[in-house]
Amino acid sequence: MSEILPGKICSSCGRLTHKYSEFKCPKCGKATIIRCDHCREISNTYKCAECEFEGP
């Protein structure tokens, strides 16, 4: 039986990832932004679910 490892959904691409950075929105500080390593590397944009701030 294989073990299911927890992961998080990337705020930029929407994919499940196990290698990510997690931080609060730099504008409102309410929402948590999750960014996978790939989206960070290519500077893919993200959008805050609370205040709609967009960032790289």
Side-chain angles (χ1 to χ4, degrees):
M1 182 185 239
S2 63
E3 182 180 339
I4 298 175
L5 299 174
K8 299 214 175 180
I9 301 296
C10 177
S11 300
S12 296
C13 67
R15 294 181 184 157
L16 178 65
T17 182
H18 299 287
K19 295 181 181 180
Y20 58 87
S21 295
E22 182 174 350
F23 56 94
K24 294 292 184 183
C25 172
K27 185 175 179 187
C28 71
K30 295 178 183 178
T32 300
I33 308 294
I34 309 293
R35 298 197 67 213
C36 70
D37 285 354
H38 178 71
C39 285
R40 289 187 64 222
E41 186 176 302
I42 65 169
S43 299
N44 200 5
T45 60
Y46 62 86
K47 191 173 192 177
C48 175
E50 293 288 327
C51 70
E52 298 190 6
F53 171 79
E54 289 188 34

